[in-house]
Amino acid sequence: MFANIALRTVLKSSAGVLREGGALCSALSAKPSTCSSASLSGLRVSCVAGGFALPPPVRHYARAAKKKKTGPESQLSDLPPTMLKMDYAAVPLAQTSDDLVKRLLSLELASHSEKLQLKKEQLIAKVQRDENDRSSVEVQVAILTARIRNYQEHLQKHHKDKANKRRMLMAIDRRKKLLKHLRLVRYDAFEKVCEQLGITYTFPPEYYRRATRRWLAKKAFCIKVFNEVQKQKAEQRLKMKQSLASANTEAAKTKAVDTQ
């Protein structure tokens, strides 16, 4: 019963508001010449607002400009754009051609893979043993270094690329193994490779384990047990020495008695 009474009162009040709004709108339509555009717009909004509650306007603020991340300098930045591609560097006709043809054959219009291949050849030339060396450990390290730096530059822009991140980690592990072998076999070549390619070789930790409370308690217990065992062994050795000393003294006494 009370719900019906409340519903009737709400309907009556809304009908009265709508009548007032309609009367205002009809008055505005009857005298359009006496109202300015600003007043008309304001009254229209009030007419509508008298009938229905409009939500407040939403302010759409402009987003702040994102700052570009300044990553490490690219390994291909030292290649001049006027340099010819690797396939045309040894062609004498390309050196004497006009400027347009040179531009087409230069690194200015080359692809990224062509620039990377040229960079690999430059790194190989720094560490190879002779001109025909293409499979030594030094050459493999140079190729892996160019590949790793290319992956690093790619991941600076596309940090969610998990596949290339996995390839980069695999290449780093492979290079680490090669450098470890080269350091054991030819230390002078190892130093030369690290110096020419700008590689910082860091030794892996001898042992690493995350220290948890359980591991610390277990380690303390093991140390305590080890110390107790060492004490028992020391007591046993002392007893053995004492028994040997007593046996020697008894043997000396018996020998002295026999001689008398």
Side-chain angles (χ1 to χ4, degrees):
M1 178 179 178
F2 292 106
N4 295 332
I5 293 171
L7 182 61
R8 287 173 186 172
T9 55
V10 169
L11 290 174
K12 286 180 181 179
S13 61
S14 61
V17 170
L18 286 173
R19 284 195 211 96
E20 293 176 0
L24 286 172
C25 292
S26 60
L28 288 174
S29 60
K31 297 179 180 180
S33 59
T34 59
C35 299
S36 61
S37 61
S39 63
L40 283 173
S41 61
L43 287 171
R44 284 196 194 102
V45 172
S46 65
C47 287
V48 177
F52 305 98
L54 294 177
V58 180
R59 296 180 181 273
H60 298 283
Y61 295 100
R63 292 181 180 178
K66 291 184 179 180
K67 295 182 180 180
K68 293 184 178 180
K69 296 181 180 180
T70 58
E73 189 177 0
S74 175
Q75 63 171 345
L76 306 177
S77 59
D78 59 343
L79 298 175
T82 57
M83 182 186 295
L84 294 177
K85 298 178 184 179
M86 190 176 62
D87 298 336
Y88 305 102
V91 178
L93 185 61
Q95 304 289 342
T96 59
S97 58
D98 56 349
D99 296 339
L100 182 59
V101 176
K102 280 186 178 180
R103 187 182 177 189
L104 291 173
L105 303 180
S106 64
L107 295 180
E108 184 180 356
L109 301 176
S111 62
H112 183 78
S113 59
E114 292 174 342
K115 294 179 182 179
L116 184 61
Q117 186 64 30
L118 183 59
K119 191 64 182 179
K120 285 182 183 178
E121 293 297 328
Q122 288 182 356
L123 295 180
I124 289 171
K126 290 181 180 180
V127 297
Q128 62 183 169
R129 300 176 185 176
D130 51 35
E131 295 181 355
N132 299 323
D133 181 20
R134 305 295 296 182
S135 61
S136 63
V137 179
E138 295 91 330
V139 173
Q140 294 180 37
V141 170
I143 294 173
L144 288 172
T145 301
R147 197 176 299 168
I148 289 167
R149 289 172 182 171
N150 183 44
Y151 284 138
Q152 288 175 347
E153 295 168 9
H154 175 76
L155 290 173
Q156 286 290 331
K157 299 178 181 178
H158 311 281
H159 58 279
K160 292 187 178 181
D161 193 350
K162 305 298 182 184
N164 281 321
K165 185 177 181 180
R166 179 174 174 272
R167 296 188 188 102
M168 182 188 71
L169 294 177
M170 290 171 63
I172 289 173
D173 291 340
R174 176 64 179 163
R175 186 181 69 173
K176 192 186 298 182
K177 292 179 181 178
L178 291 174
L179 287 173
K180 183 179 179 181
H181 172 73
L182 187 63
R183 183 175 177 273
L184 295 175
V185 177
R186 297 178 60 206
Y187 190 78
D188 53 346
F190 166 77
E191 285 187 337
K192 179 186 175 183
V193 168
C194 291
E195 181 182 357
Q196 293 293 330
L197 300 180
I199 299 173
T200 303
Y201 184 80
T202 56
F203 295 98
E206 295 182 359
Y207 180 75
Y208 173 75
R209 183 173 179 177
R210 188 168 62 90
T212 59
R213 287 184 295 178
R214 181 179 178 181
W215 181 78
L216 291 173
K218 185 177 179 181
K219 185 178 180 181
F221 178 73
C222 291
I223 292 173
K224 187 177 180 180
V225 171
F226 176 77
N227 293 333
E228 291 293 331
V229 171
Q230 293 299 320
K231 285 181 182 179
Q232 292 179 3
K233 288 182 178 180
E235 291 176 358
Q236 290 178 1
R237 285 194 294 267
L238 184 60
K239 288 180 180 179
M240 289 291 292
K241 287 181 181 180
Q242 291 176 357
S243 62
L244 287 173
S246 62
N248 290 334
T249 53
E250 289 179 359
K253 287 180 181 179
T254 54
K255 187 175 182 182
V257 171
D258 292 340
T259 54
Q260 288 179 359

